[in-house]
Amino acid sequence: MTTPAWVPRKRRGAEFFLTVLAVFIGIFAYAAVGLGVEGTIPADTYKLGFALILVAVATHLIVRRVAPYADPVLLPLVIALNGLGLAMIYRLDLGRQQINPDRAAFANSQLVWTAVGIIAFAAILILIRDHRRLQTLTYTFGAAAIGLLILPLLPGIGRTINGARIWVSFAGFSFQPGEMAKVCLAIFFAGYLVVKRDALALAGRRVLGIDLPRGRDLGPILGCWLISVGILVLQRDLGSSLLFFGLFVVMLYVATERPGWIVVGGLLFGLGAYFGYAAFSHVRVRFDAWLDPFGDPDRNGQIINGLFGLAHGGVLGQGLGQGSPQLTPYSFSDFIAASMGEELGLTGLMAILLIYGLIAERGLRIALTCRDAFGKLLAAGLAFSFALQVFVVIGGVTRLIPLTGLTTPFMAQGGSSVVMNWAIIGLLLRISDQTRRPAPEISTFDSNDETQVVKLS
Amino acid sequence: MNRPIRNIAIACLVLFVALMLNVNYVQFVQADSLNAKNGNKRVINEEFSRDRGTILVDGKPVAESVKSKDEYKFQRRYPESNLYAPLTGYFSYVFGRGGIENSQNRVLSGSDNRLFVNRVVELVSNKQPKGGSVELTIDPLAQKTAADGLEALGKGTKGAVAAIDPKTGAVLAMVSQPSYDPNKLASHDFAAVQKSWNDLTADKDQPMVNRTTQQTLPPGSTFKLVTAAAALENGVVDNIDDKVKAGSTLRFPGYGYTLPNENGSNCGGDEITFERALNVSCNVAFGGLALKIGQDKLAAQAAKFGFGTDPLEGLSMNPSRFTSADAKLEPPQLGQSGIGQFEVAATPLQMAMVAAGIANDGNVMKPYVVDTVRAPNLRVLDKSRPERLSEAVSSSNARKLQDMMISTVQVGTATSAQIPGVEVGAKTGTAQSTADRPPYAWFVSYAKDGDDEVAVAVLVESSDTARNEIAGGRLAGPIAKSVMEAVLGK
């Protein structure tokens, strides 16, 4: 008697339906911006809408073709966020140019970067048919991560913007390699830890209730982490430093199943934060601005303005195009969450946070159901770093924690961020497709009653 | 590896719940206090582009919002500009608000809690929120008459007129000169606003100071009304026919100083009646009375009339004072204080309250400038009710004081305020400051015609009129008279 194997449903129809909804959120947001700012629906709404639908359908078809078992919720969630982000950046272009017509507009370039991001997403799904192939490139990705992190420090191409040397400017393009380094590091950690996890967990000495691994097992990974954090301290990018450290600790914890790593990580973080506060004036400034922003209204103008915007939005928001988010410096990038809160209100911001939360939890669910250790680690690392990034940036903007510079995934203006986040979703979908796909039919020797071997006692 | 992943999932959940709780805290719990913070441009912008309510005087707007074609949608206008500026104040994008625009801002901007239902209806019907209107207690004719009277003294005249209804405390006229044009501060041309503001704040005549409520000056002889009230209340003098010591100078044993009368007169003898002492404004008599009354009781009497407090509803008022805090007066200083010199300083509105308290049989009413507050649909939200501040003197003593003020108008220094067929009581004052500055001319009076009553205080700080001509009765008297006539309809 055979029990039919459980075959996960593809749910591509559900994905399509949700995608259509998500696309319409973007189109309606764009139309609402036109209504709010200029009193008319922008003339090119139908063009944009057409383009968005085209892209969404194309994306959907690619997923249907190359990753038919992939998680059906992630893509619509991401499209909704990206559409809202585009509409808000367009709205802020209009608002900022009302103040000063010479200000740069970002909506078009953001649209182009979104397209690039979707191409990267599709490329990952098409080119990487099995995520485990990335495992063979573990050390390549490790080296790439370090190379990417060093890039901004190189004279000639490195650029310091707002005190952080995290930009690379090359042939007219500028981008933040840190975003890409994050993905490379996650792949490197996953690949390395898969191989060494048993050694890390079992071989070694027990000190103060924590199993310390052997130096040769921990060496490479600790070295990689030290280099990346060292570079970040040199680059004065607190947010990424925190993010990478969190990624490292959590992946170590998942790989070894030793909660001690979390404790060690927490202690190290506390120590680092203390020394950062003592040694760096810019860390102190951020910290003081968090505790008492109104103590120095001139210096803390950005966080204060962000809070004013959130308060002005209140529960229901001012409505797209009807608030004044452009008054906040970097309202279109670092502070786009505050801009959303002002115009969409508490209600809208809660919905956005819910979407972010769903993306993170879907990613962790993929990790949970994944059958191979590498995929598990990679998915868990990517999902957790996504959640941590959202927490650090939105928590900073809403004064839950001190403000550090990180991009708001899929919404903030910035090419490298959009492209790499799409790439992350591509990787997650790839792992998820692998996970939910029914195991290939093993050449079943048809069990035949007559030829069955019967053990005779 | 599933157990750690589950734990991580829970940790992520905690992170997101923390974010959500925090935005609820910021956008819901903290929102009101953040919106009320200084320098919140969003709130300023919003208020500035709202259909702000009207400030009305006798049904006519003195401050109104009209549609404008620029980004702010509405332009604040002050049709009477300078005349009502001391009351309306200004409404400026750059410099905030002043006067009624500031004190009644919640109603005018529509954010008052009593307008909550309106706001909800407007939100649902997608209309621009509107502000409520504020009706002032001012009598437009009295206001105009007072301003004209000051202007008639010539350009550069600094002065103030305050008129109140003795029975209710309603302010009927509040004129301060020089004044300013609030339209220039409400303009959307911010560079021009900045320049106007700089000019106004640099002007040494301080046109933005409401002289009726914000500037305290020595009240001079008009303060003798307070001294007289204290003398009667404390039994130093019982009747207006009682003799008091007069003569040409008041000596203070042990001090080299002597207090003379104006123009070196002897007030008509070494002993004159109490009434006559007020009629001729005898310094020697009132200086002597002040010594008999004593500092504490005289200060207490001044406090009963409102000195040392800010009783005015709807606008801010600088408290008038009898002495600086904790001062212990030497006899010559007490003598000078009894005739409204030394450290005594009062606002014109405070002196009007003294006259009003006497006219209202001793009851000082709380002054107020806002009569009615209405919602945009004209529903009355609030109507001011007269409120007694204190009983400054007994009604019998009040009547004695009234008689003395009436005779001052009939035969004394205040004959310029006579109105045929109307009961008028008054007291003049000419307060000295420094030798190089002209004295201040004061005139404090009340008039009764049947049920209609009015109390007026006029202050003329300086004018082109020559120094020796200045006397309360001659300069300020006619203005007080015309304002009283305007109120009584004569």
Side-chain angles (χ1 to χ4, degrees):
Chain A
M1 196 179 151
T2 54
T3 49
W6 178 73
V7 180
R9 292 167 65 190
K10 294 180 183 169
R11 309 286 284 178
R12 294 272 73 84
E15 182 189 67
F16 183 73
F17 175 70
L18 290 174
T19 303
V20 170
L21 282 185
V23 165
F24 274 101
I25 288 178
I27 296 173
F28 284 145
Y30 184 70
V33 165
L35 278 175
V37 178
E38 284 160 340
T40 52
I41 294 176
D44 53 356
T45 303
Y46 73 95
K47 258 195 275 179
L48 183 94
F50 187 72
L52 272 180
I53 292 171
L54 203 73
V55 168
V57 168
T59 318
H60 170 75
L61 287 178
I62 291 169
V63 173
R64 194 179 269 267
R65 178 101 186 83
V66 300
Y69 289 94
D71 186 296
V73 187
L74 277 174
L75 188 63
L77 290 175
V78 164
I79 288 178
L81 283 180
N82 206 331
L84 275 176
L86 279 171
M88 181 51 81
I89 289 168
Y90 172 65
R91 183 261 169 279
L92 288 164
D93 282 349
L94 296 178
R96 285 164 48 251
Q97 286 172 342
Q98 263 176 9
I99 300 176
N100 180 357
D102 297 334
R103 294 218 178 149
F106 293 112
N108 279 330
S109 66
Q110 186 74 358
L111 195 62
V112 172
W113 281 115
T114 302
V116 174
I118 292 174
I119 291 169
F121 164 85
I124 284 173
L125 280 183
I126 293 169
L127 296 179
I128 307 172
R129 285 308 178 93
D130 187 341
H131 61 269
R132 279 167 293 193
R133 280 169 55 193
L134 293 173
Q135 199 180 345
T136 59
L137 299 170
T138 298
Y139 288 92
T140 315
F141 278 107
I146 292 174
L148 285 165
L149 286 172
I150 291 174
L151 269 187
L153 289 177
L154 296 181
I157 55 169
R159 293 278 178 279
T160 304
I161 299 180
N162 299 322
R165 197 176 171 98
I166 52 174
W167 291 83
V168 168
S169 185
F170 184 71
F173 282 105
S174 57
F175 73 105
Q176 282 176 284
E179 297 275 350
M180 198 182 279
K182 180 180 74 180
V183 180
C184 292
L185 272 182
I187 296 173
F188 167 66
F189 287 155
Y192 185 81
L193 290 169
V194 161
V195 179
K196 298 282 184 181
R197 56 189 287 248
D198 290 335
L200 281 169
L202 302 174
R205 288 188 305 163
R206 197 173 172 84
V207 179
L208 297 170
I210 296 160
D211 294 302
L212 283 187
R214 292 178 303 185
R216 62 181 149 167
D217 296 325
L218 196 59
I221 204 157
L222 210 58
C224 175
W225 167 78
L226 272 177
I227 290 171
S228 64
V229 170
I231 288 166
L232 289 166
V233 169
L234 294 177
Q235 292 170 352
R236 300 190 145 203
D237 182 4
L238 296 168
S240 303
S241 192
L242 174 62
L243 183 64
F244 289 8
F245 186 64
L247 176 70
F248 170 71
V249 170
V250 162
M251 288 185 75
L252 207 51
Y253 165 58
V254 173
T256 59
E257 302 195 17
R258 296 266 181 261
W261 286 114
I262 300 284
V263 177
V264 173
L267 287 176
L268 277 176
F269 173 74
L271 224 63
Y274 177 76
F275 279 115
Y277 184 82
F280 298 111
S281 64
H282 66 280
V283 179
R284 264 197 304 279
V285 165
R286 295 284 175 89
F287 203 79
D288 294 344
W290 170 60
L291 286 178
D292 181 20
F294 294 100
D296 188 346
D298 290 331
R299 197 181 62 193
N300 306 332
Q302 188 185 30
I303 180 83
I304 290 177
N305 247 305
L307 291 173
F308 280 170
L310 287 169
H312 197 230
V315 174
L316 292 175
Q318 296 287 323
L320 277 170
Q322 293 174 51
S324 315
Q326 66 271 20
L327 294 176
T328 309
Y330 292 94
S331 51
F332 50 87
S333 56
D334 288 10
F335 271 67
I336 198 157
S339 303
M340 290 287 181
E342 179 170 357
E343 302 223 311
L344 300 177
L346 175 60
T347 325
L349 197 52
M350 287 286 281
I352 287 169
L353 287 174
L354 202 63
I355 293 179
Y356 278 126
L358 279 174
I359 292 175
E361 299 293 347
R362 284 313 277 204
L364 288 168
R365 189 189 154 85
I366 290 169
L368 213 50
T369 51
C370 184
R371 284 183 292 240
D372 66 286
F374 175 74
K376 256 185 194 317
L377 266 175
L378 182 56
L382 291 176
F384 176 75
S385 68
F386 185 89
L388 187 61
Q389 181 166 353
V390 170
F391 177 76
V392 167
V393 64
I394 298 188
V397 167
T398 57
R399 207 165 78 87
L400 179 62
I401 56 171
L403 182 66
T404 51
L406 275 181
T407 57
T408 319
F410 295 108
M411 292 203 304
Q413 179 270 335
S416 23
S417 164
V418 169
V419 173
M420 287 326 293
N421 278 302
W422 272 104
I424 289 173
I425 298 300
L427 283 173
L428 284 175
L429 284 194
R430 171 47 68 222
I431 299 170
S432 142
D433 175 55
Q434 212 74 28
T435 304
R436 297 173 79 235
R437 181 179 298 182
E441 305 251 332
I442 304 160
S443 54
T444 51
F445 45 97
D446 278 333
S447 51
N448 182 322
D449 283 343
E450 283 95 81
T451 57
Q452 199 163 9
V453 179
V454 181
K455 191 183 182 190
L456 297 168
S457 54
Chain B
M1 286 192 278
N2 280 355
R3 203 168 49 89
I5 293 175
R6 285 204 178 89
N7 289 341
I8 296 296
I10 291 168
C12 287
L13 184 72
V14 170
L15 292 185
F16 280 99
V17 167
L19 280 181
M20 289 181 175
L21 288 178
N22 185 57
V23 293
N24 273 281
Y25 178 66
V26 172
Q27 295 198 271
F28 185 70
V29 180
Q30 269 194 324
D32 280 344
S33 71
L34 284 170
N35 282 333
K37 286 263 189 224
N38 269 339
N40 191 332
K41 263 189 126 184
R42 288 171 170 86
V43 176
I44 298 172
N45 277 340
E46 193 176 72
E47 285 189 350
F48 208 67
S49 40
R50 206 179 272 178
D51 189 359
R52 197 174 168 82
T54 310
I55 302 176
L56 297 157
V57 167
D58 200 23
K60 278 196 188 149
V62 292
E64 60 185 347
S65 283
V66 293
K67 281 210 161 69
S68 73
K69 291 204 174 80
D70 56 9
E71 58 177 310
Y72 296 108
K73 301 191 189 84
F74 290 96
Q75 168 71 58
R76 197 70 168 156
R77 270 189 49 207
Y78 300 89
E80 305 274 0
S81 65
N82 297 35
L83 179 58
Y84 283 94
L87 284 147
T88 59
Y90 53 87
F91 182 65
S92 164
Y93 184 86
V94 195
F95 298 104
R97 308 171 291 256
I100 297 283
E101 292 276 31
N102 189 38
S103 67
Q104 299 293 317
N105 183 51
R106 290 185 73 82
V107 169
L108 292 168
S109 68
S111 54
D112 193 275
N113 285 337
R114 290 168 296 184
L115 295 170
F116 178 75
V117 178
N118 289 65
R119 281 206 300 280
V120 171
V121 171
E122 277 152 1
L123 184 74
V124 171
S125 57
N126 204 19
K127 273 190 207 149
Q128 275 290 319
K130 274 182 86 160
S133 63
V134 173
E135 170 100 37
L136 303 184
T137 54
I138 301 296
D139 177 334
L141 185 60
Q143 180 83 1
K144 183 90 177 72
T145 308
D148 289 349
L150 281 176
E151 242 159 66
L153 293 177
K155 265 211 172 308
T157 303
K158 288 191 280 176
V161 180
I164 50 182
D165 182 338
K167 288 195 285 194
T168 62
V171 176
L172 300 174
M174 185 176 268
V175 170
S176 174
Q177 201 162 288
S179 184
Y180 65 101
D181 184 356
N183 288 306
K184 288 187 177 164
L185 298 179
S187 163
H188 294 179
D189 178 353
F190 298 145
V193 169
Q194 179 73 52
K195 190 183 174 310
S196 301
W197 178 270
N198 291 346
D199 290 350
L200 285 171
T201 47
D203 192 330
K204 65 175 174 26
D205 286 342
Q206 297 183 294
M208 284 170 73
V209 169
N210 181 347
R211 284 158 201 269
T212 60
T213 57
Q214 287 168 346
Q215 177 174 269
T216 56
L217 288 174
S221 302
T222 57
F223 190 76
K224 287 170 185 164
L225 291 172
V226 179
T227 309
L232 287 168
E233 284 288 286
N234 293 295
V236 176
V237 179
D238 291 323
N239 284 300
I240 62 175
D241 297 334
D242 286 2
K243 297 283 187 190
V244 294
K245 272 184 81 176
S248 50
T249 52
L250 179 61
R251 292 178 199 287
F252 300 89
Y255 296 88
Y257 174 79
T258 56
L259 179 67
N261 287 314
E262 281 278 296
N263 308 325
S265 84
N266 69 350
C267 303
D270 283 347
E271 276 209 336
I272 56 174
T273 63
F274 187 38
E275 181 173 27
R276 171 130 184 96
L278 193 79
N279 293 162
V280 300
S281 195
C282 185
N283 287 352
V284 175
F286 279 92
L289 284 172
L291 295 179
K292 283 189 183 170
I293 297 163
Q295 179 188 346
D296 294 346
K297 286 176 178 169
L298 192 49
Q301 184 63 57
K304 280 185 182 175
F305 278 111
F307 278 68
T309 62
D310 173 6
L312 180 60
E313 290 277 328
L315 283 175
S316 70
M317 176 173 171
N318 281 345
S320 303
R321 67 172 191 202
F322 175 65
T323 56
S324 51
D326 302 326
K328 186 78 196 91
L329 299 180
E330 300 287 323
Q333 298 167 341
L334 180 56
Q336 284 189 334
S337 299
I339 61 166
Q341 296 283 168
F342 194 56
E343 288 184 337
V344 185
T347 59
L349 186 64
Q350 175 59 61
M351 292 318 291
M353 285 165 66
V354 171
I358 293 169
N360 196 32
D361 294 340
N363 291 315
V364 180
M365 304 302 286
K366 205 171 164 59
Y368 61 94
V369 290
V370 173
D371 184 60
T372 320
V373 172
R374 287 195 176 86
N377 61 7
L378 301 183
R379 182 170 55 92
V380 173
L381 296 176
D382 192 17
K383 187 161 172 62
S384 295
R385 283 200 191 83
E387 202 182 310
R388 195 177 77 166
L389 191 67
S390 66
E391 185 181 6
V393 290
S394 68
S395 58
S396 63
N397 283 337
R399 247 167 253 132
K400 292 171 194 163
L401 288 167
Q402 289 170 18
D403 288 342
M404 288 163 69
M405 287 175 77
I406 293 168
S407 59
T408 303
V409 172
Q410 284 162 352
V411 298
T413 53
T415 49
S416 56
Q418 287 173 359
I419 306 173
V422 176
E423 177 192 330
V424 182
K427 179 73 196 83
T428 56
T430 309
Q432 313 289 337
S433 55
T434 51
D436 56 326
R437 284 177 69 184
Y440 314 112
W442 283 87
F443 198 88
V444 173
S445 65
Y446 77 88
K448 290 185 182 180
D449 184 28
D451 272 351
D452 295 335
E453 294 184 13
V454 58
V456 183
V458 178
L459 162 71
V460 179
E461 276 179 58
S462 74
S463 74
D464 295 341
T465 318
R467 181 186 176 84
N468 57 6
E469 277 180 60
I470 294 180
R474 246 172 303 165
L475 272 177
I479 300 174
K481 177 190 171 189
S482 60
V483 171
M484 291 189 292
E485 284 176 331
V487 173
L488 301 176
K490 290 288 169 180

